[in-house]
Amino acid sequence: MADKTQIVITSSKTVDEHVLEILSMFNQGVNEVELKGYGREINKLVDVYNQLKDKLGEGVKLENAQTGSEVREKRRISYLLIRLSKAY
Amino acid sequence: MADKTQIVITSSKTVDEHVLEILSMFNQGVNEVELKGYGREINKLVDVYNQLKDKLGEGVKLENAQTGSEVREKRRISYLLIRLSKAY
C-alpha cells in the first residue's frame, strides 16, 4: 500500500510524540510520509527526522527536502518539507 | 570563478545581515554557496533562503537540501545544509 501521508509538525506535540505517530504509521503499512514544518517548527521537523534515523537507521530514507515560503494569516512564513520513505 | 563557500548561520547575525553577506559574495563572483544551520538556527537558515529568493527570484537556485545530525560539544545536534547557486 504505497500511500503518501502529510504530517504538519505542530508546537502542541513533542518531538517524541511526532516520532511515535510516524513509527505507528509505518507499522500500519504507510510507505511514504511527508513532514512539513513552518517557521519555528522547522528545526523540530529536523529533530523528528534525526530521531527517526536513530531508531530506524537504514530503515528510513530521506527522499527529498524542499524549502520555500507560503502566505498564512496574511503573513509570509518559511517552511521545510521533507519526504521520507520506509526502506524495508 | 566557480568557487564554493560554506556559511554557518549564527545566532549573532540577523537574517538581513546573512542575506547581505551572501549577496555581496555573489557579486564578487562566487557562484555556489552552502548554508548550514544547527539546531535553533535551522529556521533562520530557511528565512535567509526565502529572503534571497524574494530579492533574486530566478537568479538563485536551490541545488540541494540535506538534513542530519552531528555531535558538537558532546551533544548530538540537528543541522540543515542547503546548496544555492547563482543562476545568471
Side-chain angles (χ1 to χ4, degrees), chain B residues 39-52:
Chain B
R40 267 190 299 272
E41 305 315 323
I42 288 173
N43 47 22
K44 184 188 276 186
L45 184 153
V46 178
D47 287 341
V48 168
Y49 166 71
N50 282 314
Q51 270 216 25
L52 277 169

Side-chain angles (χ1 to χ4, degrees), chain B residues 7-34:
Chain B
I7 294 177
V8 177
I9 303 295
T10 65
S11 49
S12 56
K13 278 190 182 165
T14 65
V15 171
D16 289 346
E17 283 164 340
H18 277 300
V19 169
L20 217 59
E21 181 186 6
I22 297 159
L23 287 176
S24 49
M25 289 168 77
F26 276 162
N27 287 328
Q28 287 154 21
V30 171
N31 288 319
E32 246 189 32
V33 168
E34 272 189 351

